[in-house]
Amino acid sequence: MLYEAEANEDGTYSFYPGRPIDMYEDFAGWDMQNLRGRVELVQDFDKTCDRLREGFVFMLEHYAPGQYTEVKKIPHRVMEPAGKGLLA
């Protein structure tokens, strides 16, 4: 079921479970093609949620948290004397 969401100022979204998008929609004036399109949209959304959930459960069952340390050389640009003897 699609849920209503609201964009927040920080770029995140607030979702309102129990308050689906179509809660106040009147489908009486929709033709059959538009109704089928809406049903397909909701079904695709549900399938996507199912796949995400299955992937998450698989990850929880087959993976464990780990940690590694990576050392990187980071080049820094500096100003150096151009010729010999300038500071000597």
Side-chain angles (χ1 to χ4, degrees):
M1 178 179 291
L2 296 175
Y3 289 100
E4 190 173 341
E6 181 179 289
N8 300 319
E9 290 181 12
D10 63 357
T12 60
Y13 288 88
S14 296
F15 292 91
Y16 303 101
R19 204 167 78 182
I21 286 177
D22 294 334
M23 179 181 251
Y24 304 107
E25 189 69 45
D26 181 12
F27 295 102
W30 288 39
D31 63 17
M32 192 54 74
Q33 182 178 356
N34 287 335
L35 287 171
R36 282 190 183 112
R38 189 59 170 196
V39 168
E40 288 173 7
L41 174 68
V42 172
Q43 288 174 337
D44 287 345
F45 178 79
D46 287 343
K47 287 177 189 175
T48 300
C49 290
D50 290 342
R51 285 190 296 246
L52 288 168
R53 186 187 65 247
E54 289 167 5
F56 184 66
V57 169
F58 178 87
M59 184 183 70
L60 292 175
E61 292 174 347
H62 295 91
Y63 290 84
Q67 181 177 331
Y68 71 93
T69 302
E70 184 176 324
V71 179
K72 294 183 178 182
K73 289 186 176 184
I74 301 172
H76 298 275
R77 301 204 182 272
V78 296
M79 296 299 293
E80 297 177 339
K84 293 183 180 181
L86 292 175
L87 299 177

